[in-house]
Amino acid sequence: MSEAGGGRGCGCRVPQRAPWSLVAATASLCLVLATSVCTARAAPMSREEKQKLGNQVLEMFDHAYGNYMEHAYPADELMPLTCRGRVRGQEPSRGDVDDALGKFSLTLIDSLDTLVVLNKTKEFEDAVRKVLRDVNLDNDVVVSVFETNIRVLGGLLGGHSLAIMLKEKGEYMQWYNDELLQMAKQLGYRLLPAFNTTSGLPYPRINLKFGIRKPEARTGTETDTCTACAGTLILEFAALSRFTGATIFEEYARKALDFLWEKRQRSSNLVGVTINIHTGDWVRKDSGVGAGIDSYYEYLLKAYVLLGDDSFLERFNTHYDAIMRYISQPPLLLDVHIHKPMLNARTWMDSLLAFFPGLQVLKGDIRPAIETHEMLYQVIKKHNFLPEAFTTDFRVHWAQHPLRPEFAESTYFLYKATGDPYYLEVGKTLIENLNKYARVPCGFAAMKDVRTGSHEDRMDSFFLAEMFKYLYLLFADKEDIIFDIEDYIFTTEAHLLPLWLSTTNRSISKKNTTSEYTELDDSNFDWTCPNTQILFPNDPLYAQSIREPLKNVVDKSCPRGIIRVEESFRSGAKPPLRARDFMATNPEHLEILKKMGAASAIDAEDGLRFMQEMIELSSQQQKEQQLPPRAVQIISHPFFGRVVLTAGPAQFGLDLSKHKETRGFVASSKPYNGCSELTNPEAVMGKIALIQRGQCMFAEKARNIQNAGAIGGIVIDDNEGSSSDTAPLFQMAGDGKDTDDIKIPMLFLFSKEGSIILDAIREHEEVEVLLSDKARDRAAILKDPESEDQPSSENDSQSQSAEQTLSLSKTVDLVDQETPENPLDSHSEPLSPADTEETAGLAPSEQTPSSTESLETTRLDGECTELDNQPKEQSETEEDSNPNVSWGKKVQPIDSILADWNEDIEAFEMMEKDEL
């Protein structure tokens, strides 16, 4: 999980080579000026109503914090449904989510500076005493370096920052003598061994007691980490160095950032989601602003604000230009491939990108911030909360909502930048929804499904660290806060670091490493803060004019590839046709193609771009490798290996192409979706578990059945009637984090193939299967004595094999070793006995070309990355599609169009040069 913080808009100039003290002072002054200019307009919401809402936030915090202290402390987090604490090792494992828990009273540390912001100074002083008395960092537990840095190290530093502020005021914390800072320093040294790599990128996990790579550490074998995990360290580590004078922390964080910058994709200036910490190779080559990357961008800009190093601003501006060029499709923010940035990598967005409008406020790019925020708000109004992921046509993709604060964060910063009371109403809606749908007797419970309103027994620490802080600040006036919030910068976990750190212990070399990697054009960079008088020129309705065209965007289910929605609504014109959206069967699209030949600058621009995209798209299709299939072979009586089902592989677990096949009897898991701890572990122990697709991520299902003792897993599609005959296979992707803990093989079967196994269980009870990379020879796998009674004649055996298989299901795959020329026709005629006997391969997955036609979403699951209207690198993401789509008829029309247009490309290029 990558939490993301926000920033500030400002209205004054920062000199290009300003001293650190001037940068820090200017950063603070900027927001003061911006706020005074923008909020001078009369607000419809009265001060009394704002105070009422602020008091309501205080009461909500008391409810959450009080229940944590009563029912959970000193545990890391509160379980609000069962009113008890969540202690690592005492509750069923939730996989990577539990890596944030280190037996260090996480929620208390994460809430320290929130107590001061909410003017609960007495409670703050008591909380600090509890931390110093009870918290132990010398724990034999493996934790996430990223989460421990932003939540615990950041929480200790934020607490220290406000403790010394209160001490200077003379009323509270007079006994304080930097104890929190000493704890932070101790924790910093415990995290440093994670950086012991050739690249300088940290390992994703570390044992707080034993470090890395010791036998007792139980970690240090990982090879990959996410970009945000390695790139979200500089604020906390630099602050620790500036507070203590120990420069090593800032040096290590800078080295990690330098390496990520050097490894960016040079042609697109984008970074991938996951990187190998030893080689620097990109493992996941998709790029966006959401989970896995988000706070890397945030920390580049904020490191410039806090530290005054120009190279951080240059890097951020370079990345931001690429984001707005490729990823931003207002109001959407869609992931793309770093090597093919014109091709979308997926057709859904995750909720962590909700931080980005807040970061755009700090950048000063207000218009797209307003657009994206409004789109997100429309999704919230439809579902009450922001789903963990939703599609480009605003359907739920992942239905969970763990009470994330990113949208509230962006709401606060947009209000600070615009003074528009609309954002106060947005905040009011958030408060009402939290109280109505998430509040429970012992706190606030995360939403397991925003569509049904079901709860999950979790209340993450970031809920108290961020949500209540941003909501209170949204409704608070300056006099409601006991210190000047503008003197601090927010970390990604909303912890407060003082801007005066920029002038303290400046022994770190500020060598401009950026210029070593690329030639930068300063004309592309903003060296000044935006002037709010220019952003909002005497027009109190400016923000409203941007939001208005987006009011009904969710209800209207706007199409994929939306470009500039507000321009389309305003002018009545439709957005230009993009290659990734083109459907050869759509008459409207064909009519648009005809118009592209018109001799006008706009038509020329659209036509040239469309053809270039189409050429790139077609080239990508030809280069894509065929998806390697897997096999599920039923070997028990009466099948004896004759029934081979085409199965999709997983990106995690045992790789059947490199290891021996897995053999075992099958058993259905309870619950059948496998999304929680199994209630029938005795039934699946030592067997291959059957689980249904849906409700949670594939990796979560795998962990649950593995914990129950299963030796393998088969996920069966819950989309009734789906079949590998009519739908291409996809790989089951992980959950975006490390899945090395999954050791068992996992395969995916479509509904019809899965029903064969389920029918066999109902009829024969004991069903044994073989999971492998390809079907095995029956003579080698038959051990049942009854096999000797099978027909000895090879021809008889072949005939019976074909007859029995075809009678079971037409979707069963009995395929020649050679791939047929027309894969879609490989099962159109009955197989002859001779053909049947040689079945050892699995053709359908080898028959999966790509398509440029837009595929309607069928059913989106956990971590599936749907194959929509653009091809993907199949080794990285799962591909899902409409099973009714016929792939064989799609490539030719595109090839024909390209052939017809090749001679026109030169003419369009001349048009572009002469007229555009």
Side-chain angles (χ1 to χ4, degrees):
M1 177 190 65
S2 174
E3 304 308 324
R8 304 173 177 86
C10 42
C12 51
R13 179 176 178 81
V14 178
Q16 179 167 335
R17 295 294 182 265
W20 289 10
S21 58
L22 181 56
V23 171
T26 305
S28 175
L29 179 60
C30 280
L31 185 57
V32 176
L33 293 178
T35 305
S36 64
V37 170
C38 297
T39 59
R41 299 190 293 268
M45 184 175 286
S46 66
R47 173 163 174 77
E48 289 73 20
E49 186 174 1
K50 289 177 61 178
Q51 285 183 329
K52 180 180 177 181
L53 291 169
N55 290 333
Q56 196 170 354
V57 173
L58 294 176
E59 186 278 329
M60 294 167 66
F61 174 82
D62 289 341
H63 180 65
Y65 180 76
N67 275 285
Y68 165 74
M69 296 304 296
E70 179 180 353
H71 299 292
Y73 181 80
D76 284 316
E77 290 180 344
L78 169 68
M79 300 174 67
L81 299 183
T82 53
C83 299
R84 68 179 193 270
R86 183 181 297 279
V87 179
R88 188 89 173 263
Q90 295 183 12
E91 300 292 337
S93 173
R94 300 176 299 170
D96 295 340
V97 176
D98 283 341
D99 288 343
L101 311 180
K103 298 181 180 179
F104 35 38
S105 301
L106 175 63
T107 298
L108 181 63
I109 293 178
D110 222 1
S111 304
L112 287 177
D113 52 6
T114 303
L115 289 166
V116 183
V117 172
L118 272 55
N119 200 13
K120 295 179 179 295
T121 49
K122 179 63 169 63
E123 290 88 339
F124 171 73
E125 190 160 5
D126 292 341
V128 172
R129 291 185 186 275
K130 284 186 173 64
V131 169
L132 300 179
R133 182 191 67 203
D134 300 336
V135 173
N136 177 29
L137 298 176
D138 189 31
N139 298 321
D140 180 14
V141 59
V142 176
V143 297
S144 162
V145 173
F146 167 76
E147 298 289 358
T148 304
N149 171 66
I150 64 172
R151 299 204 209 185
V152 185
L153 183 59
L156 292 172
L157 292 172
H160 170 71
S161 299
L162 297 188
I164 59 178
M165 179 274 297
L166 290 173
K167 184 177 181 179
E168 289 176 358
K169 287 181 175 292
E171 183 177 356
Y172 295 96
M173 304 299 293
Q174 296 306 298
W175 54 269
Y176 182 71
N177 193 27
D178 295 349
E179 288 87 351
L180 290 177
L181 179 59
Q182 295 309 312
M183 286 189 67
K185 186 176 181 180
Q186 178 190 358
L187 179 59
Y189 279 119
R190 292 182 182 277
L191 295 178
L192 282 184
F195 293 83
N196 188 22
T197 61
T198 55
S199 66
L201 299 179
Y203 282 95
R205 297 174 182 83
I206 193 169
N207 188 298
L208 288 176
K209 188 178 184 69
F210 298 109
I212 293 286
R213 305 190 69 173
K214 295 179 181 178
E216 57 269 34
R218 306 184 306 281
T219 189
T221 60
E222 302 94 338
T223 58
D224 307 334
T225 193
C226 71
T227 300
C229 299
T232 310
L233 299 160
I234 187 64
L235 292 187
E236 292 84 1
F237 272 49
L240 184 58
S241 288
R242 303 301 175 89
F243 272 129
T244 64
T247 61
I248 188 172
F249 304 109
E250 186 172 343
E251 290 170 354
Y252 274 66
R254 281 177 176 265
K255 183 179 179 182
L257 275 180
D258 290 345
F259 190 83
L260 289 173
W261 169 253
E262 183 179 1
K263 290 300 179 179
R264 76 194 185 284
Q265 213 291 320
R266 300 303 177 91
S267 62
S268 67
N269 282 319
L270 295 172
V271 292
V273 173
T274 309
I275 190 171
N276 186 295
I277 60 176
H278 303 296
T279 66
D281 295 332
W282 291 110
V283 179
R284 280 187 56 189
K285 302 180 179 68
D286 45 320
S287 184
V289 297
I293 303 180
D294 49 2
S295 48
Y296 162 70
Y297 294 133
E298 176 191 359
Y299 269 38
L300 284 177
L301 182 55
K302 290 185 176 180
Y304 168 70
V305 175
L306 183 64
L307 306 178
D309 190 332
D310 292 343
S311 66
F312 291 132
L313 179 62
E314 293 174 354
R315 295 178 191 183
F316 173 80
N317 279 326
T318 300
H319 284 314
Y320 187 78
D321 177 72
I323 291 169
M324 301 309 291
R325 184 185 305 270
Y326 303 118
I327 296 171
S328 176
Q329 300 177 35
L332 309 182
L333 292 163
L334 293 176
D335 284 17
V336 299
H337 295 283
I338 58 175
H339 298 288
K340 298 278 187 179
M342 295 301 294
L343 298 178
N344 288 342
R346 63 189 190 189
T347 59
W348 49 272
M349 296 164 281
D350 65 74
S351 62
L352 284 169
L353 62 76
F355 91 101
F356 198 65
L359 186 63
Q360 288 177 309
V361 171
L362 178 58
K363 163 70 177 174
D365 200 359
I366 306 298
R367 184 184 187 91
I370 294 173
E371 293 172 332
T372 299
H373 180 276
E374 181 61 24
M375 177 270 292
L376 294 171
Y377 184 44
Q378 297 301 320
V379 175
I380 288 174
K381 289 201 293 186
K382 183 175 183 178
H383 299 291
N384 300 320
F385 297 98
L386 197 61
E388 276 290 75
F390 54 94
T391 63
T392 54
D393 50 4
F394 308 109
R395 289 181 295 131
V396 173
H397 184 49
W398 298 342
Q400 305 95 323
H401 174 73
L403 307 182
R404 293 199 186 278
E406 285 75 18
F407 181 78
E409 170 190 348
S410 288
T411 302
Y412 165 66
F413 288 115
L414 272 170
Y415 177 66
K416 295 292 287 185
T418 65
D420 190 336
Y422 174 83
Y423 296 109
L424 298 177
E425 297 296 333
V426 173
K428 182 179 179 180
T429 299
L430 298 182
I431 292 173
E432 291 172 347
N433 288 349
L434 284 171
N435 279 320
K436 184 176 182 180
Y437 301 108
R439 186 165 182 146
V440 294
C442 284
F444 291 84
M447 307 304 296
K448 189 171 183 63
D449 192 318
V450 298
R451 296 164 298 189
T452 64
S454 58
H455 288 131
E456 188 174 355
D457 199 7
R458 63 184 286 194
M459 188 179 79
D460 292 83
S461 69
F462 55 70
F463 182 59
L464 285 86
E466 301 184 68
M467 179 69 82
F468 296 114
K469 192 177 294 174
Y470 287 125
L471 287 178
Y472 182 76
L473 290 172
L474 176 63
F475 297 105
D477 291 326
K478 192 175 182 66
E479 56 268 26
D480 296 327
I481 307 172
I482 62 174
F483 64 99
D484 192 350
I485 197 73
E486 315 303 344
D487 290 338
Y488 297 82
I489 190 169
F490 288 90
T491 70
T492 196
E493 190 79 1
H495 293 306
L496 298 171
L497 299 177
L499 291 172
W500 54 257
L501 285 175
S502 61
T503 61
T504 305
N505 292 321
R506 297 176 295 164
S507 57
I508 303 297
S509 172
K510 293 190 299 174
K511 182 180 179 182
N512 190 330
T513 55
T514 301
S515 59
E516 296 178 7
Y517 306 131
T518 184
E519 293 184 4
L520 297 170
D521 180 5
D522 276 5
S523 64
N524 293 327
F525 301 153
D526 294 330
W527 292 102
T528 60
C529 298
N531 189 314
T532 55
Q533 290 180 335
I534 297 176
L535 287 172
F536 315 107
N538 301 318
D539 183 7
L541 301 179
Y542 174 80
Q544 180 181 343
S545 67
I546 299 175
R547 291 192 303 266
E548 193 62 34
L550 302 170
K551 286 294 185 183
N552 300 315
V553 67
V554 172
D555 293 334
K556 291 185 177 180
S557 296
C558 71
R560 300 172 176 83
I562 185 169
I563 311 299
R564 290 276 178 183
V565 176
E566 79 283 358
E567 294 179 2
S568 302
F569 276 91
R570 187 163 53 244
S571 64
K574 295 183 178 179
L577 178 64
R578 307 300 295 267
R580 56 176 171 257
D581 302 322
F582 174 70
M583 297 176 62
T585 58
N586 188 324
E588 186 177 355
H589 288 184
L590 296 176
E591 186 65 26
I592 293 175
L593 295 188
K594 293 179 182 179
K595 294 181 179 179
M596 286 183 181
S600 72
I602 295 177
D603 289 335
E605 180 183 12
D606 290 346
L608 179 61
R609 188 205 65 254
F610 180 84
M611 285 191 292
Q612 290 172 338
E613 289 179 2
M614 191 66 79
I615 292 171
E616 188 177 50
L617 200 59
S618 179
S619 175
Q620 175 74 7
Q621 294 168 3
Q622 296 173 8
K623 293 179 181 179
E624 284 188 336
Q625 298 179 349
Q626 300 298 330
L627 181 67
R630 299 291 182 262
V632 176
Q633 195 167 6
I634 307 180
I635 60 178
S636 56
H637 173 80
F639 308 97
F640 302 110
R642 298 189 186 96
V643 176
V644 182
L645 308 175
T646 302
Q651 294 179 354
F652 51 85
L654 185 71
D655 187 348
L656 292 171
S657 66
K658 300 177 181 178
H659 299 83
K660 188 178 179 180
E661 68 274 0
T662 297
R663 177 174 180 160
F665 288 91
V666 296
S668 295
S669 62
K670 293 182 180 179
Y672 190 32
N673 60 29
C675 291
S676 60
E677 183 180 5
L678 266 58
T679 59
N680 63 334
E682 69 285 349
V684 301
M685 174 74 70
K687 296 183 180 180
I688 296 172
L690 301 179
I691 42 184
Q692 188 179 49
R693 181 184 182 184
Q695 304 301 316
C696 64
M697 300 181 183
F698 290 126
E700 182 178 348
K701 299 175 187 290
R703 291 189 180 98
N704 286 331
I705 64 172
Q706 179 176 273
N707 292 339
I711 61 173
I714 299 175
V715 178
I716 299 177
D717 194 9
D718 61 345
N719 183 19
E720 187 175 356
S722 64
S723 168
S724 62
D725 284 344
T726 55
L729 288 178
F730 57 79
Q731 287 180 309
M732 293 186 291
D735 49 13
K737 301 177 182 178
D738 187 80
T739 52
D740 289 345
D741 60 311
I742 302 175
K743 306 299 183 183
I744 61 175
M746 296 290 295
L747 296 182
F748 177 89
L749 290 178
F750 283 104
S751 174
K752 286 189 176 180
E753 283 83 352
S755 66
I756 295 173
I757 294 183
L758 297 175
D759 290 341
I761 294 176
R762 282 190 285 269
E763 185 173 353
H764 305 288
E765 296 185 358
E766 294 289 327
V767 175
E768 189 178 19
V769 301
L770 190 72
L771 310 184
S772 59
D773 60 336
K774 61 181 179 180
R776 298 294 187 241
D777 180 70
R778 289 194 296 124
I781 61 175
L782 287 181
K783 296 182 180 179
D784 194 313
E786 294 182 33
S787 64
E788 298 176 1
D789 300 328
Q790 299 301 307
S792 59
S793 168
E794 183 172 343
N795 291 335
D796 291 343
S797 175
Q798 294 165 351
S799 300
Q800 183 169 332
S801 173
E803 180 181 353
Q804 182 176 2
T805 302
L806 293 173
S807 68
L808 281 170
S809 172
K810 293 183 179 180
T811 66
V812 178
D813 295 313
L814 298 170
V815 191
D816 291 331
Q817 292 177 347
E818 295 183 4
T819 303
E821 291 184 6
N822 187 350
L824 294 176
D825 294 334
S826 60
H827 296 292
S828 59
E829 297 180 4
L831 297 173
S832 68
D835 291 333
T836 306
E837 183 60 21
E838 296 186 4
T839 62
L842 293 168
S845 62
E846 299 174 355
Q847 305 162 4
T848 310
S850 298
S851 170
T852 58
E853 183 167 339
S854 174
L855 302 180
E856 289 299 315
T857 308
T858 54
R859 188 194 176 293
L860 298 176
D861 192 33
E863 60 289 10
C864 293
T865 302
E866 178 188 344
L867 178 65
D868 192 85
N869 35 15
Q870 57 277 338
K872 299 189 181 73
E873 299 182 18
Q874 295 175 337
S875 64
E876 298 167 357
T877 52
E878 170 187 325
E879 299 186 354
D880 203 356
S881 67
N882 188 324
N884 297 321
V885 174
S886 176
W887 288 81
K889 301 178 181 179
K890 294 180 181 175
V891 177
Q892 185 58 37
I894 297 172
D895 292 341
S896 299
I897 292 174
L898 292 177
D900 294 339
W901 284 359
N902 278 337
E903 61 186 27
D904 296 332
I905 293 179
E906 186 175 344
F908 275 118
E909 290 175 341
M910 290 298 297
M911 255 185 224
E912 182 185 46
K913 184 183 299 183
D914 295 340
E915 298 185 30
L916 296 181

